[in-house]
Amino acid sequence: METVTASQLCEIDCSNPREIRNLLGQFATGVTIITTRGQDGRKVGMTANSFSSLSLDPPLILWSLSKTAPSLPDFIAAKYFAIHMLAQEHHQLSGHFARPAEDKFAGIAHHDCESGIPVLDDALATLLCRNVQQYEGGDHLIFIGQIEHYQKRCGEPLVFHAGQYRIAAAHPELSA
């Protein structure tokens, strides 16, 4: 394996948020929709790709939310939230929850779980998490959730890379 020196790396303007966004967009991620109940009882939902597993024992996940997001106070105050891992056919659903709307759940198949959190029907996987802790993370707040319940189904994930939705495929050299 060849070693790359600092002089061989491309330099970017670290003060330019667009360049940083493009750089970090080279890391492919899954796409999620995160839901909760607002402090006033309304249903709250948003699209996020800042999701990751954190621990198996206890089962913890993390995700982050911009400090300027209108839903930030609701997620901070929430006892629970649900993470919905999206399947490749959910690209329009992802776009729907990424845009501002008076009622993002209007016309969207969902139900309330026992904790009162809105849960989207037909997600690839849904994790109901207790809101354990939040940490400062620059211009975002990092949420830690402990998985208390989950459901999953078979399917292919929706992927986001370089500013576009993508479809995951088995690597041709590793396919059985």
Side-chain angles (χ1 to χ4, degrees):
M1 187 166 130
E2 187 176 325
T3 304
V4 177
T5 65
S7 64
Q8 293 172 304
L9 294 175
C10 296
E11 290 196 26
I12 64 165
D13 178 1
C14 290
S15 66
N16 182 335
R18 182 80 246 165
E19 281 194 51
I20 298 295
R21 185 181 187 103
N22 291 342
L23 169 69
L24 298 177
Q26 292 305 306
F27 184 72
T29 66
V31 183
T32 67
I33 293 174
I34 305 174
T35 60
T36 195
R37 279 274 174 198
Q39 297 174 69
D40 59 1
R42 79 189 184 297
K43 299 171 190 172
V44 177
M46 54 164 277
T47 300
N49 68 341
S50 62
F51 166 82
S52 182
S53 62
L54 179 61
S55 169
L56 297 177
D57 187 17
L60 300 175
I61 57 88
L62 64 83
W63 64 282
S64 66
L65 180 59
S66 171
K67 290 180 181 176
T68 62
S71 59
L72 183 66
D74 295 311
F75 280 106
I76 289 172
K79 287 186 178 185
Y80 291 92
F81 53 79
I83 307 283
H84 304 84
M85 297 177 192
L86 301 186
Q88 64 185 16
E89 65 269 19
H90 293 141
H91 60 281
Q92 291 178 333
L93 185 64
S94 170
H96 174 81
F97 275 89
R99 292 184 295 277
E102 186 69 31
D103 180 3
K104 292 185 181 185
F105 293 84
I108 302 297
H110 71 284
H111 63 279
D112 288 347
C113 69
E114 290 179 13
S115 301
I117 304 302
V119 173
L120 303 177
D121 296 346
D122 197 39
L124 196 56
T126 302
L127 316 174
L128 179 64
C129 301
R130 187 168 41 84
N131 195 353
V132 176
Q133 200 158 2
Q134 295 100 39
Y135 294 96
E136 294 288 322
D139 60 0
H140 279 61
L141 195 63
I142 301 164
F143 288 80
I144 307 295
Q146 183 165 347
I147 302 168
E148 292 195 352
H149 301 283
Y150 70 91
Q151 62 186 25
K152 64 178 184 160
R153 68 171 176 84
C154 292
E156 296 298 324
L158 182 61
V159 177
F160 197 72
H161 173 257
Q164 295 183 341
Y165 291 117
R166 309 283 182 155
I167 296 173
H171 196 288
E173 293 178 15
L174 303 176
S175 297

